[in-house]
Amino acid sequence: MKKARFPKRKAYSPRYREKKPFFSEKEIIFRSSGRAKVFTLSSRLQVIILILFCFISVWSFYSYHLYNKTGRIINYKDQELVETRDAYVDLMSDFVAIHKNIDEVLSAIGKTGSKSNKKLDDYKRQAMIMEDKIKQITAEKDWTDDKTLSEKTNINEALLQRDIAISERDELRKQLDELEDAVKEIKQAELEVFNRVEAIAKKEISKIKSAFSNINVPLKQQGKYFNPLANSKKRDSSGGPYIPAQLSSIQDKRFNQKIADIYKAADDLEYYREVVKGVPFGKPVWSYWLSSKFGYRKDPFNKKRAGHKGVDLASRTGNKIQVKANGKVTRVQFSNKGYGNNVTIDHGNGFVTKYAHLHKIYVKKGDYLKIDDIIGEVGNTGRSTGPHLHYEILYQGHPVDPMPFMQIKL
C-alpha cells in the first residue's frame, strides 16, 4: 500500500502587523555559562539615556569649537606680541644708534661747516623716525596705551584696597567681639575682687570694734566709756569717706555702688586703725605670769588688804618692755622706793600707761614713741619682792584693769 502523503507545512514565523513605539520596553539578554540574564530597559530610562547622549554630544562639540577658537585667539595674540617685541627691539636698536651719535653731534656743535649741520640733521631725522615708530606701536596696540593701563591699574588697586579693607574690618569685628567677652570676664572678676576687699575691710573693722567693746567692760566699772568716734583726732568738723564722682565711662550701677562701698569701708578702716594706735592693746612683756591682779589684794609685805592700781607681771630680769601704743614720755623717775624706776607715757584719747620696778630705762622725758618701741627692762627696784613689771592703764585719770587690754590681739 502506498503511504499517505501529508502536505508539507511551512515554518511558523509570526508577523507583527501592529507597529510598536520607538521607546517601547526592550530586553537585553546576556548568556554566560549556560545561564541567561535579562535586563529590561524601560521607556523612561531610554529617553534619559538619549537626552544624556545628546547633551554629551552638544557639550563635546561646543568644547571642541571653543578650544579651537581659543587656540586661534591665543595664536593671534602671540603673533601680536612677537610683532610688538620685534618692533620694540628695532626701536631700542635705533635708540642705541642715536645714543652713540649724541657725543659726536654734541662735539660737532660749535664747529663751523656743513659737516656738523649734516650730522645734526641726520640726528633729527632719526629721532623723528623713532618717534613715528613709537606712535605707530602705541596706536596699533591698545594694551600699550598709557591711559588704558593707568585706568586698569587704578581699578585693580581700588579692588585690592577694598578687599584689604573688608578683611581688616572683619578682623576688627572679631577682635572687638573677643574684647567685649574679655571685658565681661574682667568685670566679673573685678566684682569678685571688690566683694573680697570689702569683706576684708569690714572684717577688720568688726574686729577693732569688738576690741573696743571688750575694753569698755572695765571702763564701765569705773563709770567711763570710750567712744572711738567721739575721740577722733581730726581737727576740723568736716570729713567723710572719699568717694570719687561717677565717671561717664562707667555706666554699670553695680560697679559704681560697689566702688562707693569699698571707699567707705577703706576710709572707716583707716580711721579705726588710726584710733587703735592711741589705745594700748597687747602685752607689754612677751613672757610673764600674773603674780598680782588689779583691784584689792593682800599687801606682799604686811599681808593687809590694800588696793592695787595695776597688775604685776612676773618675768625674768632684763626682759624687754614694749610700749603698745603711740605716745609721749611724760615722766621718767629713778628711785629705790615705791614704784622704783618707772616711766609714764601719755597716749592721747585719755589713755596713760605706767611701768614700774624697771631694771633699766631706755627713754627720757619728752620722747615720742611708736607701737612696740622698747622703753626698758624688767627689774626689781623699789618696793618689790622679786623681778616683775607693775603695769597700769589709766583712762581719763582713773586706773582700769589692764588684763582686757592685754588679751586683745590685733
Side-chain angles (χ1 to χ4, degrees):
M1 293 180 66
K2 292 182 180 179
K3 293 182 180 180
R5 293 183 178 178
F6 297 95
K8 292 183 180 180
R9 295 181 179 181
K10 294 181 180 180
Y12 178 74
S13 58
R15 294 180 180 179
Y16 299 97
R17 295 179 180 179
E18 183 180 357
K19 293 183 179 180
K20 293 185 178 182
F22 182 77
F23 292 106
S24 61
E25 290 188 357
K26 295 179 176 56
E27 294 181 349
I28 299 176
I29 302 174
F30 293 93
R31 290 183 177 277
S32 176
S33 301
R35 295 182 180 181
K37 291 184 179 180
V38 180
F39 295 93
T40 302
L41 298 177
S42 63
S43 300
R44 174 181 286 183
L45 182 59
Q46 294 178 43
V47 172
I48 292 173
I49 292 174
L50 180 61
I51 292 172
L52 184 62
F53 176 78
C54 293
F55 176 76
I56 293 174
S57 300
V58 172
W59 176 255
S60 299
F61 176 77
Y62 174 75
S63 299
Y64 177 76
H65 175 71
L66 184 63
Y67 176 77
N68 289 335
K69 186 176 180 180
T70 304
R72 289 195 299 271
I73 292 173
I74 292 173
N75 291 333
Y76 176 74
K77 292 296 181 182
D78 289 341
Q79 186 176 0
E80 280 188 346
L81 182 62
V82 170
E83 292 175 358
T84 304
R85 185 175 57 189
D86 293 341
Y88 176 75
V89 171
D90 295 340
L91 187 63
M92 290 303 297
S93 299
D94 294 340
F95 176 77
V96 171
I98 293 175
H99 183 70
K100 289 181 178 179
N101 295 329
I102 287 176
D103 294 335
E104 297 179 2
V105 172
L106 292 176
S107 60
I109 293 175
K111 293 181 180 180
T112 58
S114 61
K115 193 173 182 179
S116 77
N117 293 331
K118 184 178 180 181
K119 289 184 178 180
L120 186 58
D121 292 338
D122 293 339
Y123 170 74
K124 290 181 179 179
R125 283 195 297 271
Q126 290 179 357
M128 291 177 63
I129 293 172
M130 185 175 177
E131 183 179 359
D132 292 339
K133 287 185 177 181
I134 293 175
K135 289 181 179 180
Q136 182 181 3
I137 294 173
T138 304
E140 291 179 356
K141 310 303 178 185
D142 295 336
W143 56 272
T144 58
D145 185 31
D146 292 338
K147 184 177 180 181
T148 304
L149 289 176
S150 178
E151 290 177 355
K152 290 181 179 180
T153 302
N154 292 335
I155 293 174
N156 292 332
E157 184 68 20
L159 293 175
L160 179 61
Q161 293 297 331
R162 184 200 64 181
D163 294 340
I164 294 174
I166 292 174
S167 177
E168 291 179 351
R169 181 199 62 188
D170 295 340
E171 184 65 24
L172 287 175
R173 285 180 178 176
K174 182 179 178 182
Q175 293 179 2
L176 183 60
D177 294 338
E178 294 177 354
L179 183 61
E180 289 179 351
D181 294 338
V183 168
K184 291 179 181 178
E185 294 179 358
I186 292 174
K187 283 186 176 181
Q188 186 63 32
E190 286 180 347
L191 280 176
E192 294 177 0
V193 172
F194 289 163
N195 291 331
R196 186 69 180 273
V197 171
E198 184 183 11
I200 292 174
K202 288 183 176 181
K203 184 177 179 181
E204 288 294 320
I205 293 173
S206 177
K207 189 177 180 181
I208 294 173
K209 287 182 177 180
S210 177
F212 289 144
S213 298
N214 291 336
I215 66 171
N216 274 321
V217 173
L219 294 180
K220 288 180 180 179
Q221 295 175 358
Q222 303 293 331
K224 304 292 182 180
Y225 179 78
F226 175 68
N227 185 359
L229 299 178
N231 289 276
S232 172
K233 288 185 177 181
K234 294 180 180 180
R235 296 181 179 179
D236 53 13
S237 334
S238 62
Y242 167 71
I243 301 174
Q246 295 181 1
L247 300 178
S248 59
S249 60
I250 303 178
Q251 301 295 337
D252 196 331
K253 293 182 178 180
R254 295 181 305 167
F255 269 75
N256 292 328
Q257 184 61 41
K258 186 59 64 178
I259 291 173
D261 293 342
I262 289 175
Y263 274 100
K264 183 179 184 304
D267 187 80
D268 291 344
L269 179 59
E270 182 180 0
Y271 172 76
Y272 278 108
R273 283 179 173 173
E274 188 66 25
V275 175
V276 165
K277 293 179 181 179
V279 181
F281 289 128
K283 303 180 294 184
V285 180
W286 178 252
S287 176
Y288 72 92
W289 63 95
L290 184 63
S291 58
S292 184
K293 296 181 180 180
F294 173 82
Y296 291 98
R297 63 169 184 173
K298 287 183 179 181
D299 187 81
F301 289 93
N302 56 30
K303 305 302 180 183
K304 293 181 180 180
R305 181 178 172 82
H308 193 219
K309 296 181 179 181
V311 291
D312 289 341
L313 308 177
S315 185
R316 297 180 182 275
T317 300
N319 282 354
K320 300 298 185 290
I321 301 170
Q322 293 179 320
V323 63
K324 303 309 295 182
N326 295 345
K328 178 182 179 181
V329 178
T330 58
R331 182 178 180 182
V332 175
Q333 184 178 18
F334 295 90
S335 173
N336 285 324
K337 297 179 181 180
Y339 284 117
N341 300 333
N342 61 88
V343 176
T344 303
I345 301 175
D346 185 0
H347 303 284
N349 288 328
F351 288 100
V352 175
T353 54
K354 191 171 185 178
Y355 311 82
H357 310 298
L358 275 62
H359 176 64
K360 290 183 179 181
I361 297 176
Y362 297 160
V363 295
K364 63 182 181 298
K365 184 178 179 179
D367 287 348
Y368 288 92
L369 305 177
K370 293 184 178 180
I371 298 175
D372 293 335
D373 282 349
I374 298 175
I375 64 171
E377 299 177 1
V378 174
N380 188 27
T381 60
R383 192 170 182 268
S384 172
T385 60
H388 72 284
L389 170 65
H390 175 82
Y391 181 51
E392 292 183 13
I393 296 179
L394 295 90
Y395 180 63
Q396 295 180 353
H398 296 272
V400 296
D401 188 1
M403 290 307 299
F405 292 81
M406 294 172 57
Q407 292 170 354
I408 292 174
K409 296 179 180 180
L410 293 177

mmCIF file of all heavy atoms in Angstrom, residues 236-264:
data_model
loop_
_atom_site.group_PDB
_atom_site.id
_atom_site.type_symbol
_atom_site.label_atom_id
_atom_site.label_comp_id
_atom_site.label_asym_id
_atom_site.label_seq_id
_atom_site.Cartn_x
_atom_site.Cartn_y
_atom_site.Cartn_z
ATOM 1 N N ASP A 236 39.251 119.249 112.147
ATOM 2 C CA ASP A 236 38.124 120.017 111.650
ATOM 3 C C ASP A 236 36.841 119.224 111.814
ATOM 4 O O ASP A 236 36.849 118.097 112.231
ATOM 5 C CB ASP A 236 38.331 120.402 110.175
ATOM 6 C CG ASP A 236 38.655 119.194 109.325
ATOM 7 O OD1 ASP A 236 38.474 118.084 109.831
ATOM 8 O OD2 ASP A 236 39.071 119.378 108.167
ATOM 9 N N SER A 237 35.724 119.839 111.473
ATOM 10 C CA SER A 237 34.432 119.201 111.652
ATOM 11 C C SER A 237 33.905 118.582 110.386
ATOM 12 O O SER A 237 32.815 118.071 110.391
ATOM 13 C CB SER A 237 33.381 120.196 112.128
ATOM 14 O OG SER A 237 33.900 121.235 112.802
ATOM 15 N N SER A 238 34.613 118.754 109.286
ATOM 16 C CA SER A 238 34.154 118.174 108.022
ATOM 17 C C SER A 238 34.955 116.929 107.725
ATOM 18 O O SER A 238 36.074 116.787 108.169
ATOM 19 C CB SER A 238 34.311 119.187 106.885
ATOM 20 O OG SER A 238 35.669 119.523 106.734
ATOM 21 N N GLY A 239 34.342 116.041 106.967
ATOM 22 C CA GLY A 239 35.060 114.816 106.653
ATOM 23 C C GLY A 239 34.169 113.840 105.916
ATOM 24 O O GLY A 239 33.279 114.231 105.177
ATOM 25 N N GLY A 240 34.372 112.588 106.193
ATOM 26 C CA GLY A 240 33.644 111.540 105.495
ATOM 27 C C GLY A 240 34.552 110.822 104.538
ATOM 28 O O GLY A 240 35.626 111.300 104.197
ATOM 29 N N PRO A 241 34.143 109.656 104.074
ATOM 30 C CA PRO A 241 34.993 108.879 103.169
ATOM 31 C C PRO A 241 35.132 109.541 101.820
ATOM 32 O O PRO A 241 34.242 110.267 101.367
ATOM 33 C CB PRO A 241 34.236 107.540 103.035
ATOM 34 C CG PRO A 241 32.811 107.895 103.296
ATOM 35 C CD PRO A 241 32.849 108.999 104.329
ATOM 36 N N TYR A 242 36.283 109.317 101.193
ATOM 37 C CA TYR A 242 36.498 109.835 99.845
ATOM 38 C C TYR A 242 35.840 108.902 98.853
ATOM 39 O O TYR A 242 36.235 107.748 98.710
ATOM 40 C CB TYR A 242 37.995 109.940 99.538
ATOM 41 C CG TYR A 242 38.270 110.164 98.064
ATOM 42 C CD1 TYR A 242 37.969 111.379 97.455
ATOM 43 C CD2 TYR A 242 38.804 109.143 97.275
ATOM 44 C CE1 TYR A 242 38.200 111.586 96.112
ATOM 45 C CE2 TYR A 242 39.043 109.342 95.924
ATOM 46 C CZ TYR A 242 38.740 110.566 95.355
ATOM 47 O OH TYR A 242 38.967 110.755 94.031
ATOM 48 N N ILE A 243 34.813 109.399 98.187
ATOM 49 C CA ILE A 243 34.106 108.612 97.184
ATOM 50 C C ILE A 243 34.184 109.379 95.883
ATOM 51 O O ILE A 243 33.589 110.451 95.758
ATOM 52 C CB ILE A 243 32.636 108.388 97.585
ATOM 53 C CG1 ILE A 243 32.571 107.670 98.943
ATOM 54 C CG2 ILE A 243 31.908 107.564 96.529
ATOM 55 C CD1 ILE A 243 31.176 107.536 99.474
ATOM 56 N N PRO A 244 34.951 108.890 94.895
ATOM 57 C CA PRO A 244 35.115 109.641 93.649
ATOM 58 C C PRO A 244 33.812 109.765 92.893
ATOM 59 O O PRO A 244 32.931 108.909 93.007
ATOM 60 C CB PRO A 244 36.134 108.798 92.862
ATOM 61 C CG PRO A 244 35.982 107.423 93.409
ATOM 62 C CD PRO A 244 35.620 107.596 94.867
ATOM 63 N N ALA A 245 33.668 110.874 92.153
ATOM 64 C CA ALA A 245 32.473 111.079 91.346
ATOM 65 C C ALA A 245 32.382 110.007 90.286
ATOM 66 O O ALA A 245 33.383 109.505 89.785
ATOM 67 C CB ALA A 245 32.511 112.466 90.703
ATOM 68 N N GLN A 246 31.150 109.660 89.927
ATOM 69 C CA GLN A 246 30.951 108.623 88.919
ATOM 70 C C GLN A 246 31.424 109.132 87.564
ATOM 71 O O GLN A 246 31.105 110.247 87.165
ATOM 72 C CB GLN A 246 29.471 108.259 88.825
ATOM 73 C CG GLN A 246 28.935 107.616 90.105
ATOM 74 C CD GLN A 246 27.479 107.237 89.964
ATOM 75 O OE1 GLN A 246 26.898 107.446 88.915
ATOM 76 N NE2 GLN A 246 26.907 106.674 90.991
ATOM 77 N N LEU A 247 32.196 108.306 86.918
ATOM 78 C CA LEU A 247 32.715 108.671 85.600
ATOM 79 C C LEU A 247 31.696 108.295 84.546
ATOM 80 O O LEU A 247 30.989 107.294 84.668
ATOM 81 C CB LEU A 247 34.044 107.944 85.338
ATOM 82 C CG LEU A 247 35.146 108.256 86.348
ATOM 83 C CD1 LEU A 247 36.374 107.438 86.010
ATOM 84 C CD2 LEU A 247 35.485 109.727 86.362
ATOM 85 N N SER A 248 31.640 109.122 83.494
ATOM 86 C CA SER A 248 30.677 108.852 82.432
ATOM 87 C C SER A 248 30.990 107.555 81.715
ATOM 88 O O SER A 248 30.115 106.935 81.125
ATOM 89 C CB SER A 248 30.686 110.008 81.430
ATOM 90 O OG SER A 248 31.985 110.175 80.874
ATOM 91 N N SER A 249 32.249 107.133 81.743
ATOM 92 C CA SER A 249 32.626 105.897 81.058
ATOM 93 C C SER A 249 32.190 104.660 81.820
ATOM 94 O O SER A 249 32.172 103.567 81.267
ATOM 95 C CB SER A 249 34.144 105.856 80.834
ATOM 96 O OG SER A 249 34.819 105.917 82.075
ATOM 97 N N ILE A 250 31.846 104.811 83.101
ATOM 98 C CA ILE A 250 31.394 103.665 83.900
ATOM 99 C C ILE A 250 29.894 103.809 84.092
ATOM 100 O O ILE A 250 29.432 104.588 84.918
ATOM 101 C CB ILE A 250 32.119 103.598 85.258
ATOM 102 C CG1 ILE A 250 33.628 103.531 85.031
ATOM 103 C CG2 ILE A 250 31.648 102.413 86.064
ATOM 104 C CD1 ILE A 250 34.418 103.517 86.318
ATOM 105 N N GLN A 251 29.126 103.066 83.327
ATOM 106 C CA GLN A 251 27.681 103.163 83.372
ATOM 107 C C GLN A 251 27.051 102.052 84.198
ATOM 108 O O GLN A 251 25.838 102.061 84.413
ATOM 109 C CB GLN A 251 27.117 103.109 81.929
ATOM 110 C CG GLN A 251 27.640 104.209 81.028
ATOM 111 C CD GLN A 251 27.205 105.585 81.472
ATOM 112 O OE1 GLN A 251 26.216 105.739 82.167
ATOM 113 N NE2 GLN A 251 27.965 106.601 81.087
ATOM 114 N N ASP A 252 27.845 101.108 84.672
ATOM 115 C CA ASP A 252 27.320 99.988 85.439
ATOM 116 C C ASP A 252 27.048 100.441 86.875
ATOM 117 O O ASP A 252 27.957 100.827 87.609
ATOM 118 C CB ASP A 252 28.330 98.832 85.420
ATOM 119 C CG ASP A 252 27.684 97.519 85.852
ATOM 120 O OD1 ASP A 252 26.724 97.572 86.652
ATOM 121 O OD2 ASP A 252 28.133 96.462 85.395
ATOM 122 N N LYS A 253 25.784 100.408 87.285
ATOM 123 C CA LYS A 253 25.426 100.850 88.631
ATOM 124 C C LYS A 253 26.043 99.958 89.695
ATOM 125 O O LYS A 253 26.381 100.420 90.787
ATOM 126 C CB LYS A 253 23.902 100.862 88.776
ATOM 127 C CG LYS A 253 23.225 101.913 87.910
ATOM 128 C CD LYS A 253 21.728 101.925 88.134
ATOM 129 C CE LYS A 253 21.050 103.011 87.297
ATOM 130 N NZ LYS A 253 19.578 103.030 87.507
ATOM 131 N N ARG A 254 26.163 98.673 89.397
ATOM 132 C CA ARG A 254 26.773 97.767 90.381
ATOM 133 C C ARG A 254 28.200 98.182 90.693
ATOM 134 O O ARG A 254 28.617 98.194 91.855
ATOM 135 C CB ARG A 254 26.761 96.326 89.845
ATOM 136 C CG ARG A 254 25.391 95.722 89.666
ATOM 137 C CD ARG A 254 25.520 94.306 89.154
ATOM 138 N NE ARG A 254 26.306 94.263 87.931
ATOM 139 C CZ ARG A 254 26.797 93.156 87.393
ATOM 140 N NH1 ARG A 254 26.603 91.983 88.003
ATOM 141 N NH2 ARG A 254 27.493 93.182 86.283
ATOM 142 N N PHE A 255 28.951 98.543 89.634
ATOM 143 C CA PHE A 255 30.337 98.963 89.847
ATOM 144 C C PHE A 255 30.396 100.252 90.656
ATOM 145 O O PHE A 255 31.196 100.382 91.589
ATOM 146 C CB PHE A 255 31.035 99.150 88.493
ATOM 147 C CG PHE A 255 31.727 97.928 88.003
ATOM 148 C CD1 PHE A 255 30.994 96.880 87.482
ATOM 149 C CD2 PHE A 255 33.100 97.804 88.076
ATOM 150 C CE1 PHE A 255 31.626 95.739 87.028
ATOM 151 C CE2 PHE A 255 33.739 96.668 87.620
ATOM 152 C CZ PHE A 255 32.993 95.635 87.094
ATOM 153 N N ASN A 256 29.546 101.208 90.286
ATOM 154 C CA ASN A 256 29.564 102.486 90.998
ATOM 155 C C ASN A 256 29.231 102.299 92.479
ATOM 156 O O ASN A 256 29.894 102.870 93.354
ATOM 157 C CB ASN A 256 28.568 103.451 90.353
ATOM 158 C CG ASN A 256 29.004 103.877 88.960
ATOM 159 O OD1 ASN A 256 30.193 103.966 88.689
ATOM 160 N ND2 ASN A 256 28.062 104.133 88.083
ATOM 161 N N GLN A 257 28.214 101.501 92.767
ATOM 162 C CA GLN A 257 27.831 101.277 94.157
ATOM 163 C C GLN A 257 28.901 100.505 94.909
ATOM 164 O O GLN A 257 29.226 100.814 96.066
ATOM 165 C CB GLN A 257 26.489 100.512 94.200
ATOM 166 C CG GLN A 257 25.951 100.309 95.609
ATOM 167 C CD GLN A 257 25.691 101.625 96.316
ATOM 168 O OE1 GLN A 257 25.176 102.566 95.712
ATOM 169 N NE2 GLN A 257 26.060 101.709 97.584
ATOM 170 N N LYS A 258 29.472 99.500 94.237
ATOM 171 C CA LYS A 258 30.494 98.682 94.900
ATOM 172 C C LYS A 258 31.744 99.521 95.191
ATOM 173 O O LYS A 258 32.346 99.406 96.264
ATOM 174 C CB LYS A 258 30.849 97.483 94.026
ATOM 175 C CG LYS A 258 31.781 96.490 94.675
ATOM 176 C CD LYS A 258 31.186 95.926 95.957
ATOM 177 C CE LYS A 258 29.934 95.125 95.693
ATOM 178 N NZ LYS A 258 29.415 94.545 96.963
ATOM 179 N N ILE A 259 32.136 100.370 94.237
ATOM 180 C CA ILE A 259 33.305 101.234 94.448
ATOM 181 C C ILE A 259 33.047 102.189 95.610
ATOM 182 O O ILE A 259 33.922 102.424 96.459
ATOM 183 C CB ILE A 259 33.633 102.005 93.160
ATOM 184 C CG1 ILE A 259 34.155 101.041 92.083
ATOM 185 C CG2 ILE A 259 34.658 103.093 93.414
ATOM 186 C CD1 ILE A 259 34.350 101.677 90.732
ATOM 187 N N ALA A 260 31.822 102.740 95.672
ATOM 188 C CA ALA A 260 31.494 103.642 96.776
ATOM 189 C C ALA A 260 31.555 102.907 98.116
ATOM 190 O O ALA A 260 32.074 103.437 99.108
ATOM 191 C CB ALA A 260 30.102 104.237 96.553
ATOM 192 N N ASP A 261 31.051 101.678 98.146
ATOM 193 C CA ASP A 261 31.086 100.890 99.392
ATOM 194 C C ASP A 261 32.523 100.590 99.816
ATOM 195 O O ASP A 261 32.858 100.654 101.012
ATOM 196 C CB ASP A 261 30.317 99.574 99.201
ATOM 197 C CG ASP A 261 28.826 99.803 98.995
ATOM 198 O OD1 ASP A 261 28.346 100.907 99.340
ATOM 199 O OD2 ASP A 261 28.150 98.894 98.481
ATOM 200 N N ILE A 262 33.369 100.282 98.832
ATOM 201 C CA ILE A 262 34.764 99.964 99.162
ATOM 202 C C ILE A 262 35.481 101.196 99.706
ATOM 203 O O ILE A 262 36.226 101.115 100.696
ATOM 204 C CB ILE A 262 35.481 99.410 97.918
ATOM 205 C CG1 ILE A 262 34.951 98.006 97.598
ATOM 206 C CG2 ILE A 262 36.987 99.368 98.133
ATOM 207 C CD1 ILE A 262 35.514 97.428 96.337
ATOM 208 N N TYR A 263 35.281 102.346 99.062
ATOM 209 C CA TYR A 263 35.922 103.568 99.564
ATOM 210 C C TYR A 263 35.445 103.894 100.982
ATOM 211 O O TYR A 263 36.238 104.321 101.825
ATOM 212 C CB TYR A 263 35.636 104.738 98.620
ATOM 213 C CG TYR A 263 36.612 104.842 97.486
ATOM 214 C CD1 TYR A 263 36.293 104.363 96.213
ATOM 215 C CD2 TYR A 263 37.863 105.410 97.670
ATOM 216 C CE1 TYR A 263 37.195 104.455 95.168
ATOM 217 C CE2 TYR A 263 38.772 105.510 96.632
ATOM 218 C CZ TYR A 263 38.432 105.041 95.385
ATOM 219 O OH TYR A 263 39.322 105.121 94.344
ATOM 220 N N LYS A 264 34.179 103.698 101.242
ATOM 221 C CA LYS A 264 33.650 103.985 102.576
ATOM 222 C C LYS A 264 34.254 103.025 103.600
ATOM 223 O O LYS A 264 34.676 103.433 104.693
ATOM 224 C CB LYS A 264 32.127 103.869 102.581
ATOM 225 C CG LYS A 264 31.493 104.238 103.930
ATOM 226 C CD LYS A 264 29.987 104.138 103.860
ATOM 227 C CE LYS A 264 29.376 104.592 105.178
ATOM 228 N NZ LYS A 264 29.876 103.868 106.343
#
